[in-house]
Amino acid sequence: LIAYPFEQARDVLRFFRDTTQSLPDEMMAVGGLIHAADGSGTKLAVMAVAHIGQREEAEAAIQPIQSFGMPALNAIGPISYCQLNTMLDGAYPRGALNYWKSSFLEGLGDDVIERLIDSFAKCPTPMGQLLLEHFHGAVSRVPIGDTAFPHRVEGYNLVILSEWMDPAISDRCIEWARETYAAMGRFLGSGRYSNYMGDDEAGDPAAAAYGPNYRRLQDIKPRYDPEDFFHMNQNIQPSCTPSAGRSGEVALRKFDLQLLLPARLGAEHLGQEIDEHAHARRGVLAVRIEGVDAVAGGRIVGEHRHQAAFVEIVDDFPQRLEREAVASEAPVAQGLAAVAVHVAGDAEGDRP
């Protein structure tokens, strides 16, 4: 780790950006804005680097970093791999309270750096951090579809790490993380790293974590976990294909919940039924009525030769039954507490 006074943060983060454009595969680097470990609240700009290779090669690769600027602390030196994996443990003590936000960045331009510095200056906790994890090397050379992990482009993942010990400042620390994430909004990419997603995320954040591989993972999951038993994680919600019920009825399958609804149920009644029975379980909803399929997150379940509505179930479902209808020919969308984000046309591609 090499650390610089916060006043040098602009130059340090620019140097970090420029240096990471040409790192060897054996070397990793994380840049960021942190507080001094002594609890004083002193803000620092840092680079944490590691070279896993021959010592002579490591010294040559790290030399430009050690020669940069006037560091307040230079703790770079040879250590064992076990020491490397425990060197940050002291920054995360038992009993600490945490609230994190994270997303990949579109880039690390000067405007991004300025926004990071401005946001960190407002950090209310002496344990808070803004980290920039650099991705490069072998991880960026694996084809996107070869593994579940889809993030194969060189770049940076931003971690907004709010950590504190005193419960009395919880609201301030959580608000800082949320405000910083919002302030960075126009610089964020579409990808998310699953390790950092919180349990208060809106919608289905796993779709961003797995990107173009998400639909394939949804299709695979029902083979091994059709009831979504293993859901205490960054969950892949299983595909949810509606099936026909008794004559004149349609089955609504929602994980461990199944409702049989009249096939020509009025829109208002349908909304009430879903409100009463399904609002406690956030996730994918699939309903098929008169040839109409509706799903969350832009994934149509089942065949959709006719009109289909894409809908999203929201957290405050019972309070939002007043949301507008999507299309007169899509009764499943009428009166639901959902946000319709798209209406597909028929098989020929006509748009209603």
Side-chain angles (χ1 to χ4, degrees), residues 102-108 112 151 156-158 181 184-193 208-209:
S102 176
S103 182
F104 282 92
L105 294 171
E106 290 284 1
L108 191 57
V112 178
H151 308 300
Y156 306 91
N157 185 61
L158 169 65
Y181 191 71
M184 297 300 300
R186 70 185 182 93
F187 305 117
L188 302 180
S190 58
R192 305 283 303 279
Y193 191 50

Side-chain angles (χ1 to χ4, degrees), residues 140-147 149 152 213:
S140 65
R141 296 193 292 268
V142 177
I144 291 174
D146 279 13
T147 71
F149 186 83
R152 301 299 179 179
N213 297 332

Side-chain angles (χ1 to χ4, degrees), residues 68-135:
F68 175 76
M70 297 290 292
L73 169 71
N74 185 350
I76 295 176
I79 58 175
S80 71
Y81 191 67
C82 290
Q83 289 175 304
L84 174 66
N85 280 292
T86 59
M87 64 180 289
L88 299 179
D89 288 1
Y92 308 98
R94 183 181 297 274
L97 302 167
N98 284 267
Y99 186 87
W100 298 16
K101 303 287 285 185
S102 176
S103 182
F104 282 92
L105 294 171
E106 290 284 1
L108 191 57
D110 286 350
D111 49 354
V112 178
I113 290 173
E114 292 296 333
R115 188 66 57 87
L116 289 171
I117 293 171
D118 290 345
S119 294
F120 191 66
K122 304 170 187 174
C123 183
T125 166
M127 300 171 73
Q129 305 175 44
L130 294 179
L131 302 179
L132 295 164
E133 299 174 325
H134 180 239
F135 280 69

